[in-house]
């Protein structure tokens, strides 16, 4: 994971490869040479649990670079050099790994809506604080923007953690991670003594929970479903 830290910008790269197939000869060959906010958030959490906050500070600075545009333009992924435009192209002149076509550069998931990102980033920020990291005004502004994004958008359909390239759906995981965003935001606000509308956030948290239990659980299966 440390080898995937891009020092010039602080971004965390998901992988250093493109077009390695999920199945030899299959078409699911994606370009992962970008910074997925979800993957980066999970990496941050691992580093924080190990006490490596010095290694995550550059990424938090990288994230703050975009925070002014959150939540209206929260992208799923960014270029590791802070690029926001990541277009997907097929390279037809290449045969691919062991004949696995197509070979792609860029990733169309950059244009998707993935609401779970709010929660994963808040989990990472909460673990940063627990590990002794300092939440300054810039980071707190980021926290607030992420919470407000979750509060405003949790009821919308999205493409989900599976990055489906079809119609958007009400994915249960996305709803739950919006709940997580509000929940961890509430904890941080109380721990830091921030003058925010705690009652409104608590109301939103309860609304998400009630909606998931009403629409995301199948009593016949005895399990939560992928989408409503």
């Amino acid at each position: 994971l440390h080898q995937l830290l891009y020092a010039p910008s602080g971004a965390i790269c998901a992988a250093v490869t493109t077009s390695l197939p999920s199945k030899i000869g299959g078409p699911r060959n994606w370009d992962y040479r970008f910074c997925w906010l979800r993957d980066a958030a999970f990496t941050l959490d691992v580093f924080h649990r190990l006490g490596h906050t010095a290694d995550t500070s550059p990424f938090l600075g990288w994230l703050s670079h975009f925070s002014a545009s959150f939540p209206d333009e929260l992208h799923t992924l960014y270029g590791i050099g802070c690029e926001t435009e990541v277009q997907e192209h097929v390279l037809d002149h290449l045969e691919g790994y062991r004949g696995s076509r197509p070979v792609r550069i860029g990733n169309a998931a950059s244009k998707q809506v993935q609401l779970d990102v709010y929660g994963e980033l808040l989990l990472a920020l909460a673990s940063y604080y627990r590990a002794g990291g300092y939440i300054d005004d810039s980071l707190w502004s980021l926290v607030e923007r992420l919470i407000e994004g979750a509060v405003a958008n949790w009821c919308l359909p999205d493409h989900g953690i599976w990055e489906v390239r079809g119609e958007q759906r009400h994915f249960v995981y996305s709803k739950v991670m919006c709940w997580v965003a509000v929940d961890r935001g509430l904890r941080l606000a109380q721990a830091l003594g921030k003058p925010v509308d705690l009652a409104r956030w608590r109301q939103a948290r309860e609304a998400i929970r009630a909606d998931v239990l009403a629409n995301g659980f199948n009593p016949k299966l005895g399990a939560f479903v992928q989408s409503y």
Side-chain angles (χ1 to χ4, degrees), residues 19 21 23 61 81 90 99 134 149 159 170 172 174 182-184 197 226:
S19 300
K23 180 180 179 181
V90 172
Y134 177 60
H159 295 94
H170 291 278
V172 171
S174 298
V182 182
D183 180 72
R184 296 308 189 273
D197 191 347
Q226 184 186 47

Side-chain angles (χ1 to χ4, degrees), residues 78-98:
Y78 294 85
I80 59 174
C82 297
E83 300 89 351
T84 56
E85 290 298 320
V86 180
Q87 296 184 352
E88 184 174 303
H89 302 280
V90 172
L91 304 183
D92 290 321
H93 62 287
L94 297 176
E95 69 176 24
Y97 179 73
R98 295 176 62 183

Side-chain angles (χ1 to χ4, degrees), residues 26-58:
R28 298 175 63 81
N29 318 314
W30 313 115
D31 188 353
Y32 291 115
R33 300 171 299 165
F34 304 100
C35 181
W36 263 260
L37 294 187
R38 175 192 306 111
D39 299 55
F42 288 142
T43 302
L44 288 180
D45 190 56
V46 170
F47 286 166
H48 295 156
R49 291 169 186 269
L50 294 171
H52 297 184
T53 53
D55 298 298
T56 64
S57 295

Side-chain angles (χ1 to χ4, degrees), residues 9 51 67-68 97 169 190 197 212 215:
S9 67
S67 64
Y97 179 73
R169 290 187 272 168
Q190 290 174 296
D197 191 347
V212 168
N215 300 297

Side-chain angles (χ1 to χ4, degrees), residues 140 143-144 147-148 182 185-202:
W140 176 250
V143 169
E144 281 196 291
I147 297 169
E148 292 298 344
V182 182
L186 280 164
R187 296 188 192 187
L188 280 173
Q190 290 174 296
L192 297 169
K194 295 295 183 180
V196 298
D197 191 347
L198 295 176
R200 183 171 63 87
W201 286 358
R202 289 192 184 105

Side-chain angles (χ1 to χ4, degrees), residues 63-144:
L63 194 59
S64 296
H65 175 80
F66 298 106
S67 64
S69 66
F70 296 169
D72 297 328
E73 294 187 20
L74 179 63
H75 293 207
T76 301
L77 63 96
Y78 294 85
I80 59 174
C82 297
E83 300 89 351
T84 56
E85 290 298 320
V86 180
Q87 296 184 352
E88 184 174 303
H89 302 280
V90 172
L91 304 183
D92 290 321
H93 62 287
L94 297 176
E95 69 176 24
Y97 179 73
R98 295 176 62 183
S100 302
R101 291 183 173 179
V103 174
R104 295 181 175 92
I105 57 172
N107 201 300
S110 63
K111 299 299 183 182
Q112 290 188 351
V113 177
Q114 298 181 23
L115 300 176
D116 60 284
V117 172
Y118 295 121
E120 285 129 3
L121 289 176
L122 256 299
L123 282 173
L125 287 162
S127 69
Y128 175 72
Y129 177 72
R130 289 197 306 273
Y134 177 60
I135 304 292
D136 59 16
D137 290 342
S138 176
L139 283 182
W140 176 250
S141 176
L142 172 62
V143 169
E144 281 196 291

